[in-house]
Amino acid sequence: KKILEVKQLTKSYHKNGEQPVLKNISFTLHSGEYVAMIGRSGAGKSTLLHVLNGSIDATSGEIYYAEKTKNIIEFNSKEMRQWRSTCATIFQDFCLVPRLDVITNVLLGRLSDTPTIKSFFKQFSKEDRVKAIRLLEWLNMLPHALQRAENLSGGQMQRVAICRALMQNPSLLLADEPVASLDPKNTHRIMDALGKVAQGGIPVLINLHSIELVKQYCTRVIGLAKGELIFDGHPNNLTEDI
Ligand code: ADP
Ligand code: ADP
C-alpha cells in the first residue's frame, strides 16, 4: 500500500529559490518498507527529513497523503497540521524530557506539536496509558517505565523515543541518524526495533552512515548527491560511489 509519495520536491534556503539543496526529488514509500537514505555530508538528507516532517517549508513540490496528491505550498494550516501528525521523527540525540519518567515521555507523543492551553491540562486517557504500556513492553522497556529518562542508557533512551513516536499513531516513521551515538549492541537493537516497526506496516525512512547496516537491515536504499536523488533500489545493487 502506498503511504507517501513525493513528487518533484525542491528546497532552497534562499527566498528567491536560488541554490536549491533538494532538486526535483520524487519517490514513493509503501507500508512494510525499511528504507535507508545515504549520501555524503551536505547532500541534503537532513533537509529532506525536515521537509517531510513539516519542520521546514519546501520551496515547491507535491505530496500524496491521506489518499490525495496536493501541492505542498498550498497546504492550509489544518492540512499542514494533519500532515505533520502523520510523520513521527526520532533523532540522534533522542530529545526526551530528562526529568520526566519514561512512561510520561511516551505519553507526550499524544500531544500535538502546537499545544493549546487545554492540552497542557489534559489528562491522558486510560486507553493512551494502556497503549504506552504495551509499546514499552514490546521494546522490553516496561521494567524502566517509572525511571527518569535521564537515568537511562542511550540505547534505552532511543527505544523510549520510538515508543513516543508510535504513540502519535503515525503513518510513517522518520529517523535522523538514530544510531549515530550508540554502541554496536544498542545499534543492532535499535535497527532491529525499527525493522519491527516497518514489518508492522509503518514505513521507516532512516538516515544512515553505515553501508554495513544498510545492507544488513534495509529493504531499499535511496542515495542523494548534491540535492539530487541518484539511486533508488535494493542495497545489494548499490554502486560504490554514493
Ligand atoms: P546532509 O544531512 O546530507 O549532511 P543537509 O541537509 O544538512 O545535508 O545540508 C544540505 C545543504 O543545505 C548543505 O549545503 C548545507 O550547507 C545547506 N543547509 C543546511 N541547513 C541550512 C540552513 N538552515 N540554511 C542554509 N543552508 C543550509
Ligand atoms: P543490558 O543491561 O544488557 O545493556 P539493557 O538494559 O540495555 O540491557 O536492555 C534492556 C532490555 O532490552 C533487556 O530486557 C533485553 O532483553 C532487551 N532487548 C534485547 N534485545 C532487544 C531488541 N532487539 N530490541 C529491544 N530490546 C531488546
Side-chain angles (χ1 to χ4, degrees):
K1 186 175 164 235
K2 177 165 85 174
I3 303 288
L4 174 82
E5 183 172 5
V6 173
K7 287 185 185 168
Q8 304 285 309
L9 186 72
T10 294
K11 169 66 186 173
S12 160
Y13 284 103
H14 301 276
K15 279 217 168 66
N16 53 13
E18 272 173 10
Q19 298 168 340
V21 297
L22 295 176
K23 302 167 193 163
N24 294 319
I25 303 283
S26 302
F27 64 93
T28 304
L29 294 181
H30 302 92
S31 57
E33 286 187 310
Y34 191 177
V35 185
M37 173 157 56
I38 61 165
R40 288 168 202 234
S41 175
K45 304 180 297 295
S46 177
T47 300
L48 180 56
L49 286 189
H50 284 97
V51 169
L52 291 180
N53 74 15
S55 61
I56 61 177
D57 291 335
T59 303
S60 64
E62 290 190 331
I63 298 267
Y64 163 98
Y65 87 107
E67 260 122 63
K68 54 180 193 275
T69 301
K70 205 170 166 177
N71 193 323
I72 185 170
I73 43 184
E74 287 169 5
F75 279 7
N76 63 31
S77 56
K78 186 176 164 220
E79 287 167 329
M80 199 67 199
R81 265 201 313 281
Q82 280 176 345
W83 181 49
R84 275 189 189 139
S85 72
T86 67
C87 302
T89 314
I90 61 168
F91 304 92
Q92 176 175 349
D93 54 3
F94 324 121
C95 299
L96 301 179
V97 184
R99 301 289 190 100
L100 292 180
D101 61 21
V102 162
I103 186 106
T104 308
N105 268 281
V106 174
L107 285 163
L108 289 178
R110 290 295 292 159
L111 295 184
S112 70
D113 63 348
T114 43
T116 57
I117 288 185
K118 213 169 129 198
S119 66
F120 282 107
F121 292 99
K122 179 182 166 179
Q123 290 292 313
F124 294 104
S125 68
K126 187 177 164 200
E127 239 183 357
D128 285 347
R129 288 166 194 277
V130 169
K131 178 160 186 190
I133 289 168
R134 294 238 166 90
L135 285 169
L136 287 169
E137 203 170 17
W138 182 58
L139 290 184
N140 299 304
M141 284 301 291
L142 195 53
H144 303 285
L146 299 179
Q147 243 168 285
R148 279 190 190 185
E150 63 189 353
N151 295 330
L152 303 177
S153 73
Q156 292 171 336
M157 286 190 199
Q158 197 60 293
R159 276 183 270 157
V160 174
I162 293 171
C163 294
R164 181 182 56 187
L166 296 178
M167 204 59 207
Q168 202 181 309
N169 289 326
S171 311
L172 160 77
L173 180 61
L174 306 171
D176 198 2
E177 307 264 359
V179 296
S181 63
L182 303 181
D183 62 33
K185 185 175 88 176
N186 280 302
T187 292
H188 287 288
R189 281 184 182 171
I190 294 303
M191 290 302 293
D192 206 47
L194 293 174
K196 288 190 210 164
V197 172
Q199 276 160 25
I202 298 173
V204 176
L205 180 61
I206 176 176
N207 207 328
L208 274 181
H209 265 125
S210 157
I211 300 291
E212 294 304 302
L213 288 178
V214 173
K215 292 194 164 160
Q216 191 176 348
Y217 289 96
C218 298
T219 56
R220 179 177 155 202
V221 55
I222 60 182
L224 289 188
K226 297 183 182 152
E228 291 183 62
L229 199 135
I230 58 161
F231 182 89
D232 185 350
H234 195 272
N236 291 343
N237 301 331
L238 255 187
T239 46
E240 294 299 319
D241 52 351
I242 291 177

